[in-house]
Amino acid sequence: MNAAIRFLAAPFRRAHHVRDVNEVFDERLTFGERLADRMAAVGGSWSFIIGFGLFLVAWALLNTVVLVGHAFDPFPFIFLNLMLSMLAALQAPIIMMSQNRQAAKDRLDARLDYETNIRAEAQIANLHDKIDLLLGMAGEPTGHQAGQDRAV
């Protein structure tokens, strides 16, 4: 019996290296890619939206109420529009770079999951073969043969 247990337990004693997709992906990031991810995280947060909204309200109040006669950017706020356009022109590609990198990370994660599933399937098939062999050695019908007996 001990030999059978050792025979069945041998595949489980092997240490398989499971890779963490986050570690695999993050170790290859350059400084610019990490900076783009950080900027996208900040630019897509509620604190940024609220803070930027407060900045826009302060800009409008400063140029319409506080500096009534000497506003540096009067009502149509042309200078503010120029700054917002330049910010959007820079922010959009940075966010797209971060999204592309996240898509690549998701593809790597899917591939590693697939490899794990293939290994698990092979190990399960190996265990089935070993159990069928042990049942055959014990003179009992294997799972495959027992299924045929029931069908007859």
Side-chain angles (χ1 to χ4, degrees):
M1 183 69 170
N2 287 338
I5 292 172
R6 273 186 259 119
F7 178 71
L8 289 172
F12 297 112
R13 277 190 239 117
R14 291 187 211 115
H16 294 287
H17 179 67
V18 179
R19 297 181 287 177
D20 180 14
V21 68
N22 294 317
E23 289 177 8
V24 170
F25 199 79
D26 289 345
E27 67 190 20
R28 293 187 275 159
L29 290 179
T30 65
F31 172 75
E33 291 170 337
R34 285 192 305 273
L35 181 63
D37 287 344
R38 189 78 176 130
M39 288 178 70
V42 170
S45 67
W46 277 109
S47 59
F48 175 80
I49 293 169
I50 292 168
F52 203 70
L54 291 174
F55 170 77
L56 294 175
V57 168
W59 184 281
L61 288 175
L62 182 69
N63 282 292
T64 55
V65 177
V66 177
L67 301 174
V68 178
H70 304 329
F72 58 90
D73 190 19
F75 170 63
F77 307 122
I78 295 171
F79 184 60
L80 178 63
N81 282 324
L82 174 66
M83 288 193 314
L84 291 175
S85 296
M86 291 189 316
L87 177 67
L90 291 173
Q91 194 176 24
I94 290 171
I95 291 172
M96 288 174 60
M97 285 175 13
S98 182
Q99 288 175 339
N100 289 340
R101 206 167 13 273
Q102 184 61 45
K105 187 177 187 178
D106 292 342
R107 285 191 300 273
L108 176 62
D109 189 29
R111 190 176 79 222
L112 292 176
D113 282 348
Y114 176 74
E115 290 173 4
T116 300
N117 291 341
I118 294 295
R119 282 193 307 271
E121 185 177 345
Q123 288 177 349
I124 290 169
N126 188 20
L127 286 174
H128 278 289
D129 292 341
K130 288 178 181 181
I131 290 173
D132 287 345
L133 178 66
L134 286 173
L135 288 174
M137 289 170 54
E140 297 180 23
T142 63
H144 179 67
Q145 292 170 345
Q148 288 177 345
D149 292 340
R150 278 186 238 133
V152 173

